[in-house]
Amino acid sequence: MEAKPPRRTRERILEVSLRLFNEIGEPNVTTTTIAEDMKISPGNLYYHFRNKDDIINSIFAQFEQEIERRLRLPDDHKPTLDEVWTYLQYMSEFLWRFRFLYRDLNDLLARNRTLETHFKQIVGHKKRFAREMCDLLVADGEMEITPEQIDIVTTNMVVLSTYWLSYQFVMNPRKYNDPEEISAGLHQSSYHILSQMAPYLKGRSRELYDKMARESSSKGVQ
């Protein structure tokens, strides 16, 4: 079997930085911490990145490209509510991979102009995605809701999806890096996000939601 080429130092710096940011929090990580973990000199690190914000911006660029790709409804069919449920759980696994961005979000936005500008755009994409879901359900007669109510519902969905990891950190700060504990909680967020739409659902979509709610209840989702 042909051996894989060694990863470039720049790629390794980003991988190690992401792991450290996730595990101990971005404010607690310095460029020296990263260099020591990699067993390279600080000068080697600075050859590839000017400072820690440069590393953060590079990681965020990867996150931004991927999340914008994911925040699109399928082109070949109209997704059903259970498909959206599955999609949200799939999305939660992606957020887990970049969880430091959400856990340390306010601090990052306060001092990083690039993140401040671009994360606001991501929040806008999230709200557009939620609105498109509602519009499809309304068009199919599966949802009865006014435009004003859609604005409130989609805003609440975005707030839940953006700050759910912060909620989990508050509730389980000592288990925050336990993948089983936090990943399970992230999957639960799907139920809470969709629950914002529940009062307005009709027909098959309401039946699907009630079924998902029963399954979530049996698993202890709160």
Side-chain angles (χ1 to χ4, degrees):
M1 182 181 293
E2 185 178 349
K4 293 183 179 179
R7 288 172 298 166
R8 293 182 303 166
T9 301
R10 179 183 173 85
E11 294 170 348
R12 288 179 54 230
I13 291 172
L14 292 177
E15 289 177 8
V16 170
S17 298
L18 179 58
R19 174 175 58 79
L20 291 173
F21 292 159
N22 282 336
E23 290 179 355
I24 63 178
E26 178 273 332
N28 301 315
V29 178
T30 65
T31 51
T32 301
T33 310
I34 298 165
E36 288 178 349
D37 191 278
M38 294 183 65
K39 297 180 173 56
I40 63 173
S41 69
N44 194 350
L45 186 147
Y46 289 128
Y47 174 80
H48 297 279
F49 297 97
R50 297 187 304 275
N51 48 44
K52 189 172 79 167
D53 273 354
D54 195 15
I55 296 173
I56 292 170
N57 290 343
S58 296
I59 292 173
F60 181 78
Q62 296 175 351
F63 166 81
E64 183 177 32
Q65 181 179 22
E66 180 66 15
I67 199 169
E68 288 181 356
R69 184 184 67 81
R70 290 167 180 256
L71 287 173
R72 293 191 181 98
L73 292 172
D75 296 324
D76 56 348
H77 70 284
K78 293 181 179 180
T80 59
L81 199 70
D82 50 347
E83 283 183 277
V84 174
W85 172 279
T86 301
Y87 173 83
L88 288 173
Q89 293 187 323
Y90 170 66
M91 178 69 85
S92 71
E93 295 170 5
F94 168 71
L95 297 184
W96 167 258
R97 184 153 56 95
F98 292 93
R99 60 192 179 276
F100 87 93
L101 287 170
Y102 286 85
R103 184 180 68 178
D104 304 320
L105 181 59
N106 290 353
D107 181 64
L108 285 166
L109 297 186
R111 59 179 174 78
N112 188 309
R113 180 63 177 169
T114 299
L115 265 64
E116 177 190 348
T117 304
H118 287 244
F119 210 94
K120 186 181 293 185
Q121 294 173 353
I122 288 174
V123 168
H125 293 325
K126 287 183 178 183
K127 188 165 183 178
R128 171 193 49 76
F129 180 82
R131 178 175 285 277
E132 287 176 355
M133 287 195 299
C134 291
D135 288 343
L136 284 176
L137 291 168
V138 170
D140 289 343
E142 298 282 292
M143 193 175 193
E144 188 172 326
I145 187 171
T146 67
E148 293 77 17
Q149 289 169 328
I150 285 181
D151 188 63
I152 294 170
V153 166
T154 54
T155 296
N156 289 343
M157 292 172 75
V158 170
V159 170
L160 275 168
S161 65
T162 302
Y163 286 98
W164 184 265
L165 274 169
S166 296
Y167 166 74
Q168 283 191 263
F169 182 68
V170 170
M171 298 303 292
N172 297 290
R174 299 185 185 279
K175 294 183 177 180
Y176 192 78
N177 285 313
D178 183 334
E180 291 186 6
E181 184 77 22
I182 302 303
S183 293
L186 273 171
H187 284 292
Q188 293 173 8
S189 69
S190 304
Y191 168 72
H192 292 278
I193 291 169
L194 287 185
S195 71
Q196 301 303 303
M197 302 165 62
Y200 310 97
L201 295 175
K202 298 169 55 183
R204 182 170 180 272
S205 290
R206 181 69 210 199
E207 292 173 3
L208 285 171
Y209 175 82
D210 290 341
K211 178 183 177 183
M212 291 184 288
R214 287 192 297 271
E215 291 174 351
S216 296
S217 178
S218 68
K219 295 176 182 177
V221 175
Q222 298 179 350

